[in-house]
Amino acid sequence: MPTPSMEDYIEQIYLLIDNKGYARVSDIAEALEVHPSSVTKMVQKLDRESYIVYERYRGLILTSKGKKIGKRLVERHDLLEKFLQTIGVKQENIYDDVEGIEHHLSWDSIDRIGDLVQYFEENPERVADLKLIHDRTEEEEAKK
């Protein structure tokens, strides 16, 4: 299994290839806000671990293993964003919160969150009930 840092790179490479058709070291560095030398070290490691095929000065491609994990990581990120939106987390907090928690949850927990999101989608009245609780809690906090 990849480390959290490796996951960040695989996810970003997957997104870049999906959006642009390719991923260069400079694109990855810009997206992750790291130095290109750090990206080069990591892509070499990902190449050794068979997540990507990296040729110096030519670029990189995801292996089938890398694509599978990259897709799952993007889905995990999207699911956690959707979950936080559903439960009423402020939009300006969602991205940082997802980045903070996504590597700390087991895949079992992710799957259960997926079940909960599906439940909320199938029962929108439950989301409305949750919003009422949220509003009541905020009112009580404001009175303190």
Side-chain angles (χ1 to χ4, degrees):
M1 241 5 238
T3 65
S5 180
M6 291 168 74
E7 286 183 348
D8 285 339
Y9 279 83
I10 294 168
E11 181 179 4
Q12 195 54 241
I13 291 165
Y14 182 89
L15 287 169
L16 285 165
I17 291 172
D18 191 48
N19 293 328
K20 294 174 71 172
Y22 60 90
R24 298 179 312 206
V25 167
S26 59
D27 298 322
I28 299 164
E30 182 180 333
L32 294 175
E33 299 177 353
V34 296
H35 292 289
S37 59
S38 298
V39 175
T40 299
K41 288 177 187 169
M42 180 57 80
V43 296
Q44 289 169 343
K45 184 175 184 177
L46 293 172
D47 184 43
R48 285 192 303 274
E49 300 278 332
S50 302
Y51 294 108
I52 66 169
V53 175
Y54 173 64
E55 293 181 27
R56 194 170 174 170
Y57 305 117
R58 295 188 56 113
L60 54 99
I61 59 169
L62 287 164
T63 63
S64 58
K65 174 182 171 181
K67 286 178 189 172
K68 180 179 177 183
I69 289 176
K71 184 174 191 254
R72 180 102 163 119
L73 295 171
V74 168
E75 289 170 349
R76 174 183 72 184
H77 188 99
D78 293 345
L79 173 67
L80 290 172
E81 280 189 6
K82 183 183 275 189
F83 173 67
L84 294 179
Q85 288 168 346
T86 300
I87 64 171
V89 173
K90 293 177 184 165
Q91 192 63 40
E92 64 264 19
N93 296 330
I94 290 178
Y95 181 80
D96 288 339
D97 287 352
V98 169
E99 288 297 312
I101 64 174
E102 66 184 341
H103 300 297
H104 300 284
L105 296 173
S106 68
W107 287 105
D108 183 44
S109 292
I110 297 295
D111 291 341
R112 299 302 65 81
I113 289 170
D115 295 343
L116 189 56
V117 168
Q118 182 179 347
Y119 171 78
F120 283 136
E121 288 173 345
E122 293 172 0
N123 299 278
E125 67 279 3
R126 297 291 143 221
V127 177
D129 292 344
L130 186 60
K131 174 123 176 61
L132 290 173
I133 293 168
H134 176 77
D135 292 346
R136 188 173 59 233
T137 304
E138 282 197 341
E139 286 175 19
E140 291 170 2
E141 288 294 318
K143 290 178 184 177
K144 289 183 181 180

